[in-house]
Amino acid sequence: MLLEFQRTIKQEMCSAIKSLFDLDLTPADITVESPPKVELGDLAFPIAFQLAQRLKAATGTKQNPRQLAEKLGNSLQNIKGVKRIEIAGAGYLNFYLDRANFLAKLSTEKESLVLDEITGGKLIVEHTSINPNKAAHIGHVRNAVFGDSIVRLLKASGENVEVHNYIDNTGVQVADVVVGFKYIEKKSLQEIAATEEPFDYYCWDLYAKVGKFYEESPGNQRLRAATLHEIEQNEGDTAEIAEYISQRILVCHLKTMWRLGISYQVLPRESDILHLNFWQTAFEKLKQNNAIYFETEGRNNGCWVMRADDARDEKREEKGAENEYEADKIIVRSNGTVTYVGKDIAYHLWKLGQLGLDFYYKPFYTYPDGHTVYITTTEKDNNVQNFGNGVAYFNVIDVGQSYTQNYVKLGVKLLSVDNRVERSSHLAYEKVVLTPESARELGYELSEQESKRSQISMSGRKGLGVKADDLINKLEEKALIEVQNRQKDATDQEQREIAHKVAVGALRYFLLKFTRNTIIAFDFSEALAFQGETGPYIQYAVVRIGSMFRKLAEIGEETTDPLKDSDLEAISALFELEEAESGWSGKYLWSIIHQASRLKDVLRTSVKTLEPTHVAKYAYQLAATFNEFYNMKVDSKVSYKVLGEPDPNRRRLLIALVAYVGQQLESALNLLGVEVPAKM
RNA sequence: GCGCCCGUAGCUCAGUUGGAUAGAGCGUUUGACUACGAAUCAAAAGGUCGCACGUUCGAGUCGUGCCGGGCGCACCA
């Protein structure tokens, strides 16, 4: 709603500026902000400062921003939905909306969150992508929660999104666990299969043992290389064991993520990329397009290499004949095998439908809600699925891999005939690390050096990390105690469902309240908090709103009627009364409505910056505003007791306001993947 | 050595393409439940936005240099 007003005003402004000052501006050139106080208006435009600058550049004469603002303001008098315009400060142009009209519109039209600037093609979001060899930890959860929220934001804004979770089932990490079972525990496939649940926890510990096993002798180290080779070549029982482990762990991961409300549409596997010869096709394309070069001398002798973007032209000339510019990236080793970057280029060409090859697919796992996730396979059958063929892709991968991801993107770009890939990107996020305290709480003994540091990296190899299911369990237990104290009438089953939603709300909000590039120093007390800036705080506000409407329903009051035209005059008068009584210290009903109406604007910011945190902060602030409104005291001049409000017009206004806030809060929480229980 | 990121209240962090008086939470101190459910609210204290120049009508935000911290720079993935 707010966005629509902004658009109209900007367009009007552009044409006014054209006729008044003969300057060509587009709506995108015009900055809008929220005034620091509601008293100053609903939309603020610092356009006059910009005009002064441009006029000075065009004519050479200095102009007073305030006078420019007045000129412009006078020519913008009759915009629909705008009540008045004021000049403030050094030259701000502040717009006041027709408040009663605005509220009436909100109560009659269900607002769509679909944005104007959508891509118009399928977007592929890849996230989670955990090595299938051990339990997921909190760092993996950050990846998944972030990725899942990006998916929700994009979908809500009108995009067509496909969710992938890439499975590296042929890498060293899986090989390491195979080594553990085969050579440390000396188990057969059948014996491995008899391992009790939780299998991912068992492998977590085993994986840590393998690290020590390698240190014991060079012979043990060689087992790793041999095992990896057997897996890649799909040979004998080693490959079978690897296949078994990765699939069983994968199911563990899918179940863990489902607890957090996260699921996928397709699981592309690295083994299938290998066996379906994706690389060979990509290799030919790379060679044909001169994207890679074969080195015949120097340190990269016998390798196919790619040159960094900035090393493709002059810089290389400067370096002279020595054929080993340090930014060269090896794609094919001198023994003929392909590196990770090469495989990833092939895979991403597939994502964009530019490889000319496809996987086969089969159903892999059915979620409790009945929908099925597909996995790739090399076996031909009739399961035709249209996965891939996107116009752009987003890969949620930690920032530590930016260096290699840049080469992947570069490679894909070199083979792309259009600019679609330019929109695609590595969606980098920072790690979750442990504080020395949290590492100690996990029973980890810190070395002297480590205890001096403020951050301890989690390490699968050391078995150091906060396991996802452990943390979720802890949160659920803690929430359950609270629920048992508060909802004594509820059944055990109901209490557990509430506790689950609270726990997930707490965890997801905790991970999303930070920006992507903030390193999260994991702290147990902070992650387990239900008070203050947390998910449960916001859920609680929505639950309060819910119980107000339950009570209204109990006394038989109809609350679903939208505001009628006949109500507008009275409500308009109420707003004016509020405005006149500045003793209400700015806690205007209008300011709440105005704040609530910003959701779509905030969603746009989040989509543009790919930062869910904006929606998270918005939800918290709106919940805080509502709680303040809700708690307003009778003896402090004003109170807003909705159920006790005798004046029918005022009552209608309050009910419409509360309903709107509840609806906006719930939408915002949905974008973050947080569900709201009926009671809590 | 080269590249990227960070430095904002005691702690953990926000801060909208440069805009009006820099904001939250936690912690500390003090108050509010015979309730539209206190997982809440009110109030107080807490800042030379790492430092120094520069650009600008205007800088936490942009540029340069320094100081302090993190990460990356494999014929690993």
Side-chain angles (χ1 to χ4, degrees):
Chain A
M1 188 72 64
L2 220 44
L3 277 180
E4 281 70 24
F5 276 112
Q6 285 181 19
R7 192 171 49 198
T8 314
I9 293 170
K10 282 180 178 179
Q11 282 162 355
E12 295 277 339
M13 216 175 248
C14 284
S15 50
I17 288 168
K18 176 70 183 166
S19 62
L20 283 174
F21 309 110
D22 196 32
L23 285 175
D24 288 306
L25 290 183
T26 65
D29 295 325
I30 295 174
T31 304
V32 202
E33 9 180 288
S34 290
K37 287 182 184 176
V38 265
E39 293 90 307
L40 290 168
D42 303 315
L43 294 169
F45 293 86
I47 182 71
F49 304 109
Q50 217 175 316
L51 280 179
Q53 217 160 23
R54 296 216 183 205
L55 287 172
K56 192 182 165 192
T59 63
T61 53
K62 257 189 172 177
Q63 302 236 29
N64 184 338
R66 229 191 130 87
Q67 283 171 356
L68 292 173
E70 275 165 28
K71 244 187 191 174
L72 187 57
N74 286 336
S75 68
L76 289 171
Q77 283 308 324
N78 294 314
I79 297 178
K80 205 180 152 209
V82 176
K83 200 160 190 188
R84 66 174 199 277
I85 303 171
E86 281 186 8
I87 318 296
Y92 284 91
L93 213 49
N94 291 346
F95 284 66
Y96 293 75
L97 301 178
D98 182 341
R99 299 175 174 182
N101 220 330
F102 191 79
L103 181 61
K105 257 192 161 174
L106 292 176
S107 80
T108 48
E109 300 166 15
K110 168 86 178 156
E111 192 176 12
S112 156
L113 290 176
V114 172
L115 301 173
D116 295 338
E117 53 274 85
I118 58 173
T119 308
K122 188 200 279 182
L123 300 179
I124 293 173
V125 177
E126 174 190 320
H127 64 79
T128 309
S129 305
I130 312 170
N131 274 305
N133 75 326
K134 61 180 178 304
H137 63 57
I138 181 69
H140 301 125
V141 175
R142 183 181 195 182
N143 181 310
V145 166
F146 172 75
D148 182 62
S149 300
I150 290 294
V151 169
R152 289 168 192 264
L153 293 169
L154 290 172
K155 280 185 179 168
S157 70
E159 299 284 8
N160 173 17
V161 185
E162 188 168 285
V163 189
H164 296 198
N165 174 6
Y166 179 74
I167 310 301
D168 181 7
N169 60 340
T170 54
V172 280
Q173 294 217 29
V174 171
D176 286 341
V177 175
V178 173
V179 167
F181 277 119
K182 266 188 87 168
Y183 301 105
I184 299 177
E185 304 201 328
K186 304 192 186 337
K187 282 183 180 170
S188 67
L189 178 55
Q190 273 187 331
E191 289 167 313
I192 296 168
T195 309
E196 284 183 16
E197 292 293 344
F199 187 67
D200 54 345
Y201 276 42
Y202 188 89
C203 291
W204 174 281
D205 293 331
L206 182 58
Y207 182 52
K209 284 178 198 159
V210 173
K212 288 174 190 151
F213 177 70
Y214 288 148
E215 286 168 19
E216 284 166 15
S217 83
N220 292 350
Q221 276 276 12
R222 281 195 290 276
L223 289 173
R224 171 195 236 174
T227 301
L228 185 59
H229 186 76
E230 285 167 21
I231 293 171
E232 279 176 358
Q233 300 304 310
N234 202 9
E235 285 175 12
D237 70 328
T238 300
E240 267 182 70
I241 290 171
E243 174 74 0
Y244 175 82
I245 294 169
S246 67
Q247 290 222 12
R248 187 161 164 193
I249 297 272
L250 175 54
V251 172
C252 294
H253 290 165
L254 294 179
K255 285 180 176 167
T256 300
M257 294 310 167
W258 179 253
R259 293 180 77 183
L260 300 172
I262 299 167
S263 64
Y264 317 89
Q265 279 157 286
V266 63
L267 309 167
R269 288 191 294 187
E270 183 176 69
S271 60
D272 297 320
I273 291 175
L274 294 177
H275 300 142
L276 291 168
N277 298 326
F278 276 25
W279 165 243
Q280 279 78 352
T281 304
F283 190 26
E284 290 310 313
K285 286 180 187 281
L286 285 167
K287 283 192 279 194
Q288 280 165 20
N289 288 275
N290 292 324
I292 56 175
Y293 306 83
F294 187 71
E295 299 288 1
T296 53
E297 57 186 338
R299 75 174 176 188
N300 294 336
N301 187 12
C303 298
W304 287 89
V305 303
M306 184 187 289
R307 285 163 196 168
D309 217 0
D310 62 354
R312 302 188 70 76
D313 34 44
E314 311 85 27
K315 266 192 169 175
R316 190 159 187 104
E317 300 290 314
E318 291 167 23
K319 277 278 173 178
E322 52 168 313
N323 254 348
E324 42 181 10
Y325 188 75
E326 59 181 17
D328 286 354
K329 189 73 192 165
I330 291 166
I331 304 299
V332 180
R333 304 182 186 101
S334 55
N335 67 3
T337 56
V338 60
T339 62
Y340 160 78
V341 172
K343 279 183 277 190
D344 226 30
I345 289 170
Y347 173 43
H348 285 99
L349 289 173
W350 168 79
K351 278 189 182 173
L352 297 172
Q354 293 183 28
L355 193 62
L357 291 174
D358 198 0
F359 296 102
Y360 300 99
Y361 304 95
K362 61 183 178 188
F364 179 69
Y365 178 80
T366 300
Y367 288 102
D369 72 347
H371 90 270
T372 296
V373 57
Y374 283 80
I375 198 165
T376 58
T377 173
T378 54
E379 300 152 25
K380 292 179 194 166
D381 62 21
N382 297 320
N383 260 312
V384 179
Q385 298 288 330
N386 185 24
F387 293 123
N389 293 308
V391 299
Y393 62 85
F394 296 99
N395 292 344
V396 180
I397 309 177
D398 80 90
V399 70
Q401 296 192 45
S402 300
Y403 172 77
T404 36
Q405 281 299 310
N406 274 339
Y407 285 97
V408 174
K409 181 172 181 178
L410 178 60
V412 175
K413 243 163 67 177
L414 289 170
L415 296 195
S416 297
V417 288
D418 58 41
N419 66 349
R420 299 188 299 185
V421 69
E422 196 53 48
R423 283 200 296 263
S424 306
S425 70
H426 167 210
L427 200 37
Y429 68 95
E430 270 290 359
K431 298 186 299 185
V432 180
V433 300
L434 300 170
T435 59
E437 296 73 38
S438 54
R440 275 191 214 100
E441 277 183 67
L442 289 165
Y444 180 75
E445 280 182 37
L446 296 171
S447 69
E448 237 182 87
Q449 278 196 330
E450 283 171 327
S451 52
K452 281 181 197 156
R453 291 169 162 262
S454 58
Q455 307 174 353
I456 313 290
S457 289
M458 287 189 281
S459 162
R461 211 163 288 282
K462 290 180 190 161
L464 174 61
V466 179
K467 291 201 268 297
D469 282 318
D470 281 352
L471 184 62
I472 301 168
N473 291 344
K474 258 191 182 177
L475 281 160
E476 286 184 346
E477 284 162 25
K478 199 185 161 204
L480 185 60
I481 293 168
E482 299 288 333
V483 174
Q484 283 166 343
N485 287 333
R486 294 156 203 265
Q487 302 298 331
K488 296 195 165 74
D489 296 338
T491 64
D492 183 64
Q493 172 71 14
E494 284 167 342
Q495 288 176 340
R496 284 180 188 282
E497 278 170 18
I498 296 166
H500 172 70
K501 286 181 180 172
V502 170
V504 173
L507 181 53
R508 290 191 63 130
Y509 190 90
F510 171 72
L511 293 168
L512 293 172
K513 72 177 178 180
F514 302 99
T515 52
R516 292 204 314 268
N517 68 353
T518 296
I519 299 172
I520 298 179
F522 184 84
D523 178 87
F524 277 100
S525 64
E526 224 180 299
L528 293 171
F530 295 151
Q531 299 182 344
E533 195 197 334
T534 64
Y537 176 95
I538 307 166
Q539 289 171 316
Y540 188 61
V542 182
V543 166
R544 277 178 153 172
I545 291 169
S547 52
M548 285 168 61
F549 281 94
R550 203 167 42 243
K551 292 222 166 174
L552 283 167
E554 278 169 19
I555 59 173
E557 187 160 337
E558 189 56 65
T559 55
T560 49
D561 273 352
L563 294 176
K564 296 182 200 65
D565 285 346
S566 53
D567 300 326
L568 287 187
E569 208 173 316
I571 286 171
S572 208
L574 284 172
F575 278 131
E576 273 161 31
L577 179 70
E578 277 214 295
E579 235 184 308
E581 294 189 16
S582 52
W584 294 4
S585 62
K587 293 176 180 66
Y588 303 117
L589 299 181
W590 169 251
S591 74
I592 302 174
I593 295 163
H594 181 253
Q595 189 185 349
S597 72
R598 290 189 50 238
L599 176 60
K600 189 170 175 179
D601 199 3
V602 172
L603 169 67
R604 189 171 67 164
T605 305
S606 271
V607 167
K608 212 164 127 189
T609 57
L610 298 165
E611 290 280 16
T613 190
H614 294 115
V615 172
K617 297 279 177 191
Y618 160 86
Y620 171 72
Q621 281 154 9
L622 183 57
T625 296
F626 171 77
N627 277 328
E628 194 185 326
F629 160 86
Y630 181 90
N631 274 295
M632 199 84 71
K633 278 294 173 48
V634 181
D635 54 7
S636 80
K637 202 162 185 183
V638 209
S639 77
Y640 298 104
K641 296 290 179 198
V642 177
L643 294 180
E645 179 55 53
D647 180 272
N649 286 322
R650 202 165 141 84
R651 191 178 176 94
R652 251 197 297 281
L653 170 60
L654 293 177
I655 289 172
L657 176 146
V658 169
Y660 182 55
V661 169
Q663 172 197 316
Q664 297 292 84
L665 276 177
E666 205 155 4
S667 298
L669 287 176
N670 277 339
L671 295 173
L672 305 174
V674 176
E675 287 183 87
V676 181
K679 296 176 175 181
M680 67 186 274

